[in-house]
Amino acid sequence: MKNHQNKKARLGQCLAIVFYALIGVFCGILIVMYLERAETQGMSMKSQILAFLLLFIAMYAIMLVQIVIHEAGHLLFGLMTGYRFCSFRILQFMWVRSDDRIRFKRLHLAGTGGQCLMAPPDLTNGTMPVQLYNYGGSILNAISAVVFLGISLLCPAGSLSRTILLLFTVIGFAFAVMNGLPLRIGPVNNDGCNARDLARDPESVRAFWTQMKVNELISEGVRLKDMPEEWFTVPSDEAMRNGITATVGLLACNRLMDEHRFEEADRLMEHMLSLDSGVAGLARNLTVCDRIYVELIGRNRSEALDTLMSREQKKIMKAMRTNPSVLRTEYACALIAHRDTAEAEKTLKAFNRAIETYPYPGEIQAEQELIALAQQAQTPAQTEA
């Protein structure tokens, strides 16, 4: 199962590389065509270099704009179908609704450029609108691409303005395809995957509702352990092949962690990770991160820790060094496994900096409790060292 998951992860990484390479190729062709035309019109070499730098910078700025457009599409179509605003994130900059106010926070999720999360409408006969919300980002990317293409035709052929507008068009269509087709690109399922999973299995709609509802309450500061227990019923192994349904299984693991039922949590996490399920990418690595913590404060077996702390796991944890759960685990590792109090203190300071702008107060409280448990797990010999 692990090899199968690794193959899927590598395939996702390859697809991401191919997609971004294709974007670069098409954008490069547009830039070269502009520079060749500029040269025939007598533009100086200095001006050509400046134009190249401008278009190169514009290409990355346009990607950022298309990320904003994409997340705005989720927001727009979500509001149209009965959802309510929870949070809107671009890169690590996040706006969260809390206590009927919009607050600015920071959250970094490796491999994601943005995210719009919303509170779901009530279920009616076990269902609710899900397709427009999931496809909304790709729809707006595609619409923007068509609009930019139309405007570009009004500009002089070969002009700088037309080239920039065509870059908007290419990148907009690329974003629509990358997110609309059901592909696992990078560490998380894309919107097309989610929409496909929801269409295949009507029961996954309830799982999707649960996921969104849990996020709504987390935004309001509610702990997982204080939410209704029936939301966290572990799906069957077969049901967890669906990526949306598998998320409920992960939430059940997280709730057990919040309740400090560590042995139960570890058994469930180990079982879920052994399945050929929808648990993949970033969610999988964060689950392994929790298993490492449980091992550290429990049996603390070096061979088990070596197995869990694979090269891929270390890479992901390094990329997620501002995430409180990752910092909590690294703190426990420095304190208990390595007996390095200086490194533990350094990591604790990083943890305290991270939670200053972290958007979810309930999760902060839960992580602080786990930090305290790691401190209590030290043996006298470790403390003296």
Side-chain angles (χ1 to χ4, degrees), residues 43-283:
M43 180 182 284
S44 67
M45 180 60 67
K46 181 179 179 180
S47 296
Q48 289 182 51
I49 293 173
L50 290 174
F52 172 78
L53 292 174
L54 173 64
L55 289 170
F56 188 78
I57 293 170
M59 182 175 67
Y60 284 95
I62 290 167
M63 287 184 183
L64 181 60
V65 171
Q66 285 293 355
I67 290 173
V68 174
I69 291 173
H70 181 86
E71 300 307 329
H74 288 303
L75 177 63
L76 174 63
F77 285 94
L79 292 173
M80 287 171 56
T81 51
Y83 292 74
R84 302 178 304 282
F85 175 81
C86 272
S87 65
F88 190 92
R89 178 177 60 84
I90 300 298
L91 302 179
Q92 59 180 317
F93 306 108
M94 187 173 186
W95 292 264
V96 185
R97 188 189 69 184
S98 178
D99 298 327
D100 294 323
R101 293 177 59 188
I102 305 298
R103 303 177 188 273
F104 174 73
K105 297 290 182 178
R106 296 181 69 176
L107 178 67
H108 172 64
L109 289 178
T112 64
Q115 191 175 42
C116 176
L117 294 175
M118 306 188 76
D122 293 334
L123 290 170
T124 303
N125 297 323
T127 189
M128 67 176 187
V130 293
Q131 296 298 325
L132 277 178
Y133 170 73
N134 279 282
Y135 280 124
S138 293
I139 292 171
L140 207 59
N141 282 136
I143 290 173
S144 74
V146 172
V147 170
F148 287 124
L149 178 60
I151 297 174
S152 74
L153 298 178
L154 302 177
C155 299
S159 65
L160 182 63
S161 57
R162 174 176 279 196
T163 302
I164 290 175
L165 287 167
L166 287 175
L167 288 175
F168 266 109
T169 300
V170 168
I171 294 172
F173 276 125
F175 272 47
V177 172
M178 285 169 59
N179 291 282
L181 291 180
L183 301 170
R184 182 173 291 162
I185 300 176
V188 294
N189 286 354
N190 71 354
D191 299 326
C193 268
N194 290 336
R196 179 199 61 192
D197 289 345
L198 287 164
R200 282 179 174 177
D201 180 10
E203 286 301 313
S204 67
V205 175
R206 178 172 291 278
F208 185 70
W209 180 90
T210 300
Q211 178 183 346
M212 303 296 280
K213 196 67 179 178
V214 165
N215 181 78
E216 176 189 4
L217 294 186
I218 287 175
S219 299
E220 296 172 359
V222 181
R223 298 269 295 268
L224 290 177
K225 67 178 184 178
D226 298 322
M227 296 182 195
E229 186 175 1
E230 60 268 21
W231 291 0
F232 301 90
T233 301
V234 180
S236 67
D237 291 355
E238 181 64 28
M240 280 196 287
R241 289 180 178 273
N242 184 298
I244 299 293
T245 306
T247 302
V248 176
L250 290 177
L251 290 173
C253 296
N254 295 338
R255 189 172 194 265
L256 289 170
M257 289 287 294
D258 197 21
E259 294 175 318
H260 298 178
R261 295 160 61 183
F262 298 121
E263 290 186 5
E264 293 177 62
D266 190 53
R267 284 196 298 270
L268 180 56
M269 288 187 289
E270 182 180 21
H271 176 68
M272 289 191 64
L273 293 174
S274 71
L275 299 173
D276 181 15
S277 70
V279 181
L282 189 59

Side-chain angles (χ1 to χ4, degrees), residues 13-55:
Q13 291 170 356
C14 290
L15 286 172
I17 292 170
V18 169
F19 266 105
Y20 283 110
L22 287 174
I23 293 175
V25 167
F26 282 109
C27 289
I29 290 172
L30 289 173
I31 292 172
V32 169
M33 288 174 62
Y34 169 77
L35 293 175
E36 287 180 345
R37 187 179 182 91
E39 185 179 11
T40 60
Q41 293 177 346
M43 180 182 284
S44 67
M45 180 60 67
K46 181 179 179 180
S47 296
Q48 289 182 51
I49 293 173
L50 290 174
F52 172 78
L53 292 174
L54 173 64
L55 289 170

Side-chain angles (χ1 to χ4, degrees), residues 314-379:
K314 290 178 181 178
K315 182 179 178 180
I316 292 295
M317 289 176 67
K318 184 177 180 180
M320 295 283 291
R321 279 301 301 270
T322 59
N323 183 283
S325 67
V326 172
L327 287 167
R328 164 258 294 169
T329 296
E330 291 190 341
Y331 173 78
C333 192
L335 196 66
I336 300 171
H338 300 155
R339 305 184 183 184
D340 188 340
T341 54
E343 182 63 25
E345 186 63 27
K346 180 182 175 181
T347 305
L348 184 58
K349 288 180 180 178
F351 174 86
N352 289 329
R353 286 195 301 270
I355 64 176
E356 288 178 0
T357 55
Y358 194 70
Y360 305 124
E363 287 190 6
I364 292 173
Q365 184 181 4
E367 296 297 345
Q368 287 173 327
E369 290 178 2
L370 296 180
I371 288 278
L373 286 174
Q375 293 167 344
Q376 295 171 17
Q378 285 181 283
T379 65

